[in-house]
């Protein structure tokens, strides 16, 4: 029983990371109707940045905040410089740009930091949380960070004028312009936020999977499955999907198929959702007139 | 009275097709100006061109500033509110949030709250549906919401594209009454596109008649009302 509970709880910790990254995917999807395939590699690169700050001697939380700041600005710049020019391009061109970004970040990280696996510190030491047989301090910390992020995002979008402007711009750009909202900047801001959330997910997962240029490949796949499961246009669904995928992955890995085949679960889930319930469990069914 | 909006030799269209071939008209400060014309004459296109929503060429001045090369959001911020064809509801936001979106460019928070109350005074049906998703409102309620949202900008000029479209006659009367109030008491000038020419000419001071991308007639509304061709083609008597 203790082991079972442990599997569920550490599944929740991993799920929080998938939920965060899924949320980043949903944020960009809602305003552009594209899946940012480079989201994981952007997060990976941010994590290397954090590693650089920490290695330069900065305390963990200073490095953490600095990484978020740089990631936010980088996200905005990527939207302005790379994505803006293909805004009205056909879907395939946009997908190619995303793939190009993915490859560029991956090779850039390999070139700068080499492909050698590095360890990444967890800020949640043994003294931070009480010892218990169910969860490691890092897992508890990860869940805590996830909830803080989710609450902050919810409050931002729900209660601030800027959050309202971003939601309006994502939903109806034409009407938003007629209300004087600078829609282009709202999109860029969305990219900045998504990059920031991704950076948090990267820094939380790195102590577990270790730091290397390919560290986010699996995580992005889980996040993608989570977003699809919850409905790619629904932030709440994506978060719930993240936790479900995290727990399911852990339980199946521990009791059913073994850790080697875990990633297959994500793939099967993605294909199954796309085949049987393309709108996910909480997404809106969009009926296209023909 | 001086011109608040001055359109001179405006050309506009979609992609390669030209719809407007050099139209000119003015909207007087403090007045109500109607833009009339048959289906497909280019009324909606004119409003879109004025607001910079489509490709256009020519001169457009608003409140003394040239706006013909400006972006829509900048034009709006000068105080030009546009209730678009099709209402432009933010369907996933609540009624309340729709109104707040209309005032997002304003900084005077207290006045915004007061204005929301005023809008709900104009349209009590909306107040009851304040926390309802706007996409679930009826067509008429969404039309009221679109007008209220535009007024939340505290515009100098309110541009309306067929506000009576799809509304019951009583609601239309209501909306026209509110437009008159807003015009008289809040000194908001109005540019009105309307299928119901009779109603529009009763409300407006000035009117312009559009035919296939050209202004063919313009002047005081009373004069337009008495014009033989207008009477036969648009008023039906
Ligand atoms: N988005 C568009 N793309 C291409 N052509 C368009 C578009 N919108 C309108 N048109 C064309 O422009 C012309 C004028 O249309 P517009 O909508 O301005 O007419 P209108 O006077 O508003 O008519 P109505 O009274 O029916 O609303 C029409 O011939 C129409 O086919
Ligand atoms: Mg029209």
């Amino acid at each position: 029983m203790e082991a079972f509970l442990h599997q569920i709880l550490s599944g929740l910790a991993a799920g929080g990371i998938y939920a965060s990254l899924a949320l980043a995917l949903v944020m960009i999807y809602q305003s552009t109707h594209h899946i940012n395939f480079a989201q994981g590699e952007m997060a990976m690169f941010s994590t290397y940045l954090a590693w650089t700050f920490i290695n330069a001697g900065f305390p963990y939380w200073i490095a953490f905040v600095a990484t978020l700041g740089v990631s936010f600005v980088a996200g905005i710049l990527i939207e302005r410089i790379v994505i803006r020019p293909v805004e009205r391009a056909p879907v395939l061109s946009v997908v190619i740009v995303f793939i190009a970004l993915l490859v560029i970040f991956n090779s850039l990280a390999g070139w700068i930091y080499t492909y050698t696996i590095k360890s990444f510190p967890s800020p949640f030491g043994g003294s931070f949380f009480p010892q218990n047989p169910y969860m490691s301090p890092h897992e508890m910390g990860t869940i805590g960070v996830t909830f803080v992020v989710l609450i902050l995002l919810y409050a931002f979008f729900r209660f601030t004028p800027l959050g309202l402007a971003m939601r309006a711009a994502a939903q109806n750009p034409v009407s938003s312009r007629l209300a004087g909202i600078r829609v282009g900047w709202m999109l860029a801001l969305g990219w900045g936020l998504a990059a920031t959330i991704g950076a948090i997910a990267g820094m939380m997962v790195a102590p577990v999977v270790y730091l290397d240029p390919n560290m986010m490949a699996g995580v992005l796949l889980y996040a993608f499955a989570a977003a699809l499961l919850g409905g790619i246009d629904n932030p709440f669904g994506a978060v719930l999907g993240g936790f479900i995928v995290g727990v399911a992955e852990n339980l199946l890995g521990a009791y059913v198929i073994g850790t080697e085949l875990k990633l297959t679960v994500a793939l099967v889930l993605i294909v199954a959702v796309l085949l049987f319930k393309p709108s996910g469990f909480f997404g809106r069914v969009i009926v296209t007139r023909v | 009275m001086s011109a608040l909006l001055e359109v001179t030799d405006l050309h506009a269209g979609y992609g390669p097709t030209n719809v407007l071939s050099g139209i000119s008209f003015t909207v007087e400060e403090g007045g109500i100006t109607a833009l009339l014309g048959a289906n497909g004459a280019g009324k909606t296109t004119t409003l879109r061109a004025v607001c910079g929503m489509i490709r256009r060429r020519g001169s457009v001045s608003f409140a003394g500033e040239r706006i013909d090369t400006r972006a829509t959001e900048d034009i709006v911020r000068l105080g030009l509110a546009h209730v678009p064809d099709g209402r432009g509801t933010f369907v996933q936001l609540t009624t309340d949030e729709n109104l707040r979106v209309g005032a997002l460019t304003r900084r005077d928070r207290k006045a915004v709250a007061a204005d929301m109350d005023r809008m709900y005074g104009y349209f009590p049906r909306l107040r009851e549906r304040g926390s309802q998703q706007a996409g679930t409102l009826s067509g008429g309620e969404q039309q009221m919401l679109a007008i209220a949202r535009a007024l939340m900008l505290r515009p100098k000029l309110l541009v309306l594209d067929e506000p009576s479209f799809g509304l019951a006659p009583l609601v239309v009367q209501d909306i026209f009454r509110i437009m008159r109030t807003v015009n008289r008491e809040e000194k908001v000038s109005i540019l009105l596109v309307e299928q119901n020419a009779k109603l529009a000419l009763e409300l407006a001071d000035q009117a312009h008649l559009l035919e296939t991308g050209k202004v063919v007639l313009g002047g005081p509304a009373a004069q337009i009302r008495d014009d033989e061709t207008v009477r036969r083609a648009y008023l039906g008597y």
Side-chain angles (χ1 to χ4, degrees):
Chain A
M1 193 60 212
E2 199 169 274
F4 184 71
L5 207 59
H6 166 73
Q7 292 297 342
I8 289 188
L9 289 173
S10 66
L12 285 179
I17 292 168
Y18 307 152
S20 305
L21 208 63
L23 206 55
L25 290 176
V26 168
M27 274 177 63
I28 290 184
Y29 183 84
Q30 279 190 320
S31 49
T32 60
H33 289 263
H34 294 300
I35 307 273
N36 179 11
F37 293 108
Q39 197 78 61
E41 304 309 280
M42 286 165 58
M44 172 275 296
F45 206 84
S46 294
T47 312
Y48 268 109
L49 207 67
W51 181 85
T52 312
F53 286 139
I54 292 169
N55 263 31
F58 289 101
Y60 182 92
W61 290 110
I62 303 267
F64 182 88
V65 171
T67 303
L68 298 193
V70 175
S71 302
F72 180 72
V73 174
I76 288 180
L77 289 179
I78 290 173
E79 199 279 339
R80 290 259 126 178
I81 297 167
V82 185
I83 306 299
R84 180 65 46 91
V86 292
E87 205 173 26
R88 286 172 211 289
V91 178
L92 199 58
S93 324
V94 182
V95 170
I96 288 171
V97 168
F98 284 141
I99 304 281
L101 270 178
L102 186 159
V103 174
I104 289 170
F105 276 119
N106 192 289
S107 342
L108 206 60
W111 181 58
I112 299 176
Y113 298 103
T114 77
Y115 286 89
T116 328
I117 291 171
K118 297 175 169 57
S119 70
F120 190 87
S122 166
F124 311 108
S127 57
F128 215 92
F129 291 100
Q131 287 293 338
N132 65 73
Y134 303 112
M135 293 175 96
S136 72
H138 182 71
E139 284 172 339
M140 280 188 276
T142 301
I143 291 184
V145 166
T146 306
F147 276 108
V148 170
V149 168
L150 294 181
I151 289 167
L152 285 180
L153 280 176
Y154 177 77
F156 171 72
F157 281 111
R158 186 77 179 68
F159 299 116
T160 70
L162 188 57
L164 181 62
M166 286 179 70
R167 279 193 291 151
Q171 273 183 34
N172 194 333
V174 176
S175 282
S176 296
R177 285 198 184 90
L178 287 179
I181 297 171
R182 300 197 192 284
V183 173
W185 273 108
M186 295 303 122
L187 291 187
L189 221 53
W191 271 78
L193 270 184
T196 310
I197 299 168
I200 296 175
M203 287 185 277
M204 288 299 118
V205 81
V208 183
V209 301
Y210 296 104
L211 187 55
D212 87 288
N214 300 317
M215 68 181 236
M216 292 306 277
V219 181
L220 184 70
L221 207 58
Y222 286 126
F224 189 45
L228 277 176
L229 189 67
I232 186 74
D233 55 6
N234 184 329
F236 298 103
V239 168
L240 199 61
F243 285 113
I244 292 174
V245 168
V247 172
E249 171 226 350
N250 244 28
L251 289 181
L252 288 175
Y255 299 113
V256 186
I257 49 175
T259 38
E260 291 79 11
L261 283 175
K262 274 200 321 194
L263 210 52
T264 329
V265 175
L267 276 174
V268 170
L269 199 62
I270 289 171
V271 173
V273 171
L274 286 180
L275 270 180
F276 298 112
K277 195 133 179 41
S279 60
F281 285 104
F282 308 99
R284 274 169 309 118
V285 182
I286 311 256
V287 183
T288 314
R289 280 173 206 262
V290 285
Chain B
M1 278 204 276
S2 62
L4 178 61
L5 180 76
E6 194 161 6
V7 176
T8 318
D9 194 29
L10 182 65
H11 297 253
Y14 306 90
T17 39
N18 266 315
V19 175
L20 304 182
S21 35
I23 65 163
S24 305
F25 66 95
T26 58
V27 174
E28 300 295 320
E29 175 127 39
I32 300 181
T33 302
L35 199 58
L36 306 175
N39 292 127
K43 305 180 298 292
T44 297
T45 305
T46 304
L47 301 190
R48 287 187 184 141
V50 165
C51 295
M53 297 162 76
I54 53 170
R55 171 179 64 78
R56 79 277 207 211
R57 181 165 56 80
S59 152
V60 184
S61 305
F62 175 66
E65 295 198 51
R66 284 287 290 265
I67 58 169
D68 42 79
T69 54
R70 297 216 190 172
T72 304
E73 48 267 46
D74 295 319
I75 295 172
V76 170
R77 280 161 185 250
L78 290 174
L80 194 160
H82 182 168
V83 179
D85 185 40
R87 309 180 187 112
T89 311
F90 295 92
V91 292
Q92 293 170 59
L93 301 184
T94 64
T95 302
D96 243 35
E97 287 173 331
N98 265 269
L99 291 185
R100 280 197 278 133
V101 167
L104 271 176
T105 55
R106 290 171 55 184
R107 289 287 159 264
D108 46 345
R109 286 202 182 187
K110 280 221 182 82
V112 168
D115 279 354
M116 283 193 56
D117 215 48
R118 203 160 46 85
M119 291 309 139
Y120 283 140
Y122 285 150
F123 304 106
R125 301 171 66 93
L126 293 184
R127 193 195 293 274
E128 294 160 27
R129 290 158 180 77
S131 54
Q132 193 175 323
Q133 261 208 355
T136 65
L137 297 180
S138 80
E141 288 160 354
Q142 288 191 37
Q143 187 68 60
M144 298 176 203
L145 180 59
I147 296 171
R149 193 176 66 231
L151 285 173
M152 287 301 292
L153 186 78
R154 281 260 176 122
K156 293 190 185 86
L157 176 65
L158 178 65
V159 173
L160 299 141
D161 197 344
E162 299 197 29
S164 73
F165 186 81
L167 298 186
L170 270 178
V171 182
V172 175
Q173 272 182 23
D174 247 17
I175 285 184
F176 273 66
R177 184 179 47 76
I178 288 161
M179 281 195 278
R180 187 170 285 131
T181 310
V182 165
N183 173 251
R184 296 238 175 96
E185 286 168 20
E186 298 173 35
K187 308 279 173 262
V188 178
S189 313
I190 294 178
L191 172 59
L192 171 70
V193 163
E194 188 46 69
Q195 281 297 332
N196 190 333
K198 186 170 174 295
L199 215 52
L201 287 171
E202 275 168 20
L203 181 74
D205 319 305
Q206 302 280 319
H208 304 279
L209 182 63
L210 212 59
E211 258 171 34
T212 53
K214 279 206 162 67
V215 176
V216 292
L217 196 63
Q223 202 174 310
I224 305 282
R225 199 163 37 211
D226 293 336
D227 186 274
E228 268 298 315
T229 47
V230 172
R231 264 191 18 203
R232 255 189 249 125
Y234 300 99
L235 298 173
Y237 57 86

